[in-house]
Amino acid sequence: MTHIDQEALVASLRGLQMTVPATGIVHQLERAVEVVDTLFGYSGAGLMFAGDSKELRYLVATDDAGRSLEGAQLHVGRGPCISTFESDAAVMTTDVRDDPRWPELAERLHPDVRAVAGVPVRLGGEPVGTLNVYQSTPYEWDESDIQALYAYANVIEQILTAAIAAEEKSALADQLQYALDYRVVIERAIGYLMGKHDLTAAQAFTGLRKQARDSRRRVADLAAEVLGEGAGELR
Amino acid sequence: MTHGVEFTHVVDRTLNALADALGADGAALMLIDDHDRPRAVGGSDADGRRLELAQEQAGAGPAFESLSRDTDIVIDDLRAARPSGFPGVAEKATGVRAVLSVPLHADDRVIGSLDFYDRVSHEWQPAKVRAGRRLAELMVMVLKALAHKSTFSGQS
């Protein structure tokens, strides 16, 4: 039983529908991770999803250091985020560079990634991804850290559930898979823009995303276009 | 399961998760409906629902202040005399003492107010107020996702 007035909620959503332009699920999840990152005040945060290939890949990462967690774990085949997903439980390490569970990870990780904690993100009771945070110095995670991470993972689950309630589940899965598939193109375009305009990765991505939004195109489509133009300039 | 019923569960679970994230006893929601009226949508528990209904009936309270002034409203003890508290609301929401009310924004518009509450009176720390403000963004994301592409028939 809930304590929500269905009629009042629907009347309010109807009002909201009239004025609020739609934003895609991936954009919403990016914003959600940004909020989590700001609230925690840790060095970085990210959200990994298991796509069609069942490999755990970043959908959202707040920085390059955190992103190295994905590549290192994909290469080695294990690590704290993969363990979180497979065990469907919180996994934490005080210093991943010195953790006997994953001795091969250290050399593949960005040096700023030290303490790592992850909790599963579930949908319908099943894990579909992980919410991860990291610290750039060794850190003893306590129970309150993990409880808060679970609470945020629960909010992310509700964002996904809300999106599914409002859209076809298959359309939502397509959006997530698209983001996973085309992320490589986006990252290459970011690298190109960084070099061409002397930008940071964050500046390049923000500019790319804004331009895509302004021109009502997908970020990946614009990224492909940017790379095409870049190749043209080189010829 | 109809959209409306499913949506109530999503909002219920979100309010519970947001309360957990802030470390508050509960969270409750007041939203502007399609006729521009503030509506008591509900809470993470019965006390939250009573808090919103009491405010809707009184036409006053921290959520109303937050909505009309578009700013955070911090109430250390709802039972305190005005202007520190809202004793009229407190009479009907006896399980609630400390309230933090933050406005909800969708783009540039205030669409409602999110109340966090505790069952004992206390001072709200600035860090908790800032966190409440950020958590309100997550509430808006859920509401926008629910509103997106959905069809709601009938009028209220």
Side-chain angles (χ1 to χ4, degrees):
Chain A
M1 181 200 157
T2 73
H3 300 279
I4 306 297
D5 179 337
Q6 184 181 331
E7 195 273 321
L9 175 62
V10 168
S12 303
L13 291 176
R14 204 185 288 131
L16 189 57
Q17 197 178 26
M18 289 178 210
T19 54
V20 175
T23 52
I25 184 65
V26 176
H27 172 63
Q28 291 194 46
L29 293 173
E30 280 169 6
R31 290 284 305 123
V33 172
E34 281 170 23
V35 170
V36 170
D37 188 41
T38 313
L39 281 170
F40 272 113
Y42 296 143
S43 302
L47 185 62
M48 286 179 160
F49 270 88
D52 287 345
S53 63
K54 299 296 173 200
E55 282 179 332
L56 206 56
R57 291 166 58 190
Y58 262 124
L59 187 70
V60 185
T62 53
D63 56 20
D64 284 339
R67 212 168 277 127
S68 74
L69 266 168
E70 178 200 76
Q73 291 181 100
L74 276 179
H75 190 270
V76 172
R78 55 208 183 102
C81 308
I82 291 176
S83 292
T84 300
F85 182 69
E86 289 179 348
S87 65
D88 189 18
V91 171
M92 62 222 92
T93 171
T94 305
D95 187 356
V96 70
R97 307 185 72 79
D98 191 28
D99 194 315
R101 289 174 290 182
W102 314 290
E104 323 90 313
L105 273 185
E107 66 185 48
R108 298 186 176 278
L109 282 174
H110 190 286
D112 283 349
V113 177
R114 302 298 293 266
V116 179
V119 295
V121 173
R122 303 185 181 110
L123 203 49
E126 295 294 320
V128 293
T130 62
L131 176 65
N132 321 297
V133 291
Y134 81 90
Q135 289 280 55
S136 57
T137 53
Y139 176 79
E140 290 278 354
W141 305 96
D142 64 26
E143 193 52 38
S144 68
D145 290 317
I146 302 307
Q147 276 179 4
L149 259 183
Y150 265 119
Y152 293 121
N154 199 355
V155 176
I156 286 170
E157 179 183 336
Q158 300 319 314
I159 293 173
L160 287 167
T161 307
I164 288 172
E167 289 197 52
E168 288 295 319
K169 193 171 182 178
S170 59
L172 186 79
D174 285 348
Q175 283 187 50
L176 293 172
Q177 189 62 44
Y178 179 89
L180 290 173
D181 291 345
Y182 286 88
R183 203 203 46 188
V184 174
V185 178
I186 295 168
E187 283 173 1
R188 281 179 53 211
I190 287 171
Y192 169 75
L193 292 171
M194 286 168 69
K196 186 176 181 187
H197 301 295
D198 195 22
L199 301 172
T200 64
Q203 287 168 333
F205 180 66
T206 304
L208 196 65
R209 192 168 60 181
K210 183 178 184 313
Q211 199 181 332
R213 218 178 285 158
D214 290 348
S215 57
R216 295 181 176 275
R217 279 182 291 174
R218 295 184 185 203
V219 176
D221 293 340
L222 182 62
E225 194 178 296
V226 166
L227 289 172
E229 285 168 6
E233 283 172 17
L234 292 174
R235 278 197 288 270
Chain B
M1 186 181 277
T2 66
H3 265 169
V5 175
E6 189 175 353
F7 287 6
T8 60
H9 283 97
V10 172
V11 170
D12 174 71
R13 288 193 294 258
T14 306
L15 288 171
N16 276 284
L18 292 174
D20 285 348
L22 193 75
D25 288 337
L29 192 60
M30 180 83 70
L31 291 177
I32 306 288
D33 73 6
D34 54 345
H35 291 102
D36 283 332
R37 295 174 302 201
R39 299 287 299 271
V41 169
S44 55
D45 60 17
D47 285 333
R49 172 115 175 91
R50 275 193 284 272
L51 172 65
E52 299 310 294
L53 280 175
Q55 293 183 84
E56 188 186 272
Q57 285 161 11
F64 273 76
E65 291 279 307
S66 158
L67 274 170
S68 59
R69 290 165 51 189
D70 189 11
T71 189
D72 314 321
I73 300 296
V74 174
I75 302 294
D76 296 346
D77 189 353
L78 200 61
R79 295 179 192 173
R82 294 288 297 136
S84 305
F86 289 90
V89 173
E91 255 176 47
K92 292 178 177 168
T94 49
V96 173
R97 296 295 292 268
V99 181
L100 163 63
S101 189
V102 289
L104 297 171
H105 295 104
D107 300 309
D108 292 331
R109 197 168 72 103
V110 178
I111 60 159
S113 179
L114 177 64
D115 289 341
F116 293 99
Y117 54 89
D118 284 319
R119 299 185 207 293
V120 292
S121 60
H122 66 81
E123 200 174 314
W124 291 92
Q125 298 303 313
K128 217 158 193 183
V129 176
R130 282 195 297 275
R133 216 177 287 149
R134 299 310 305 270
L135 290 171
E137 293 179 41
L138 298 179
M139 185 76 243
V140 172
M141 283 178 212
V142 170
L143 294 171
K144 283 169 81 169
L146 288 177
H148 172 49
K149 282 193 181 173
S150 301
T151 51
F152 303 107
S153 58
Q155 293 293 311
S156 56

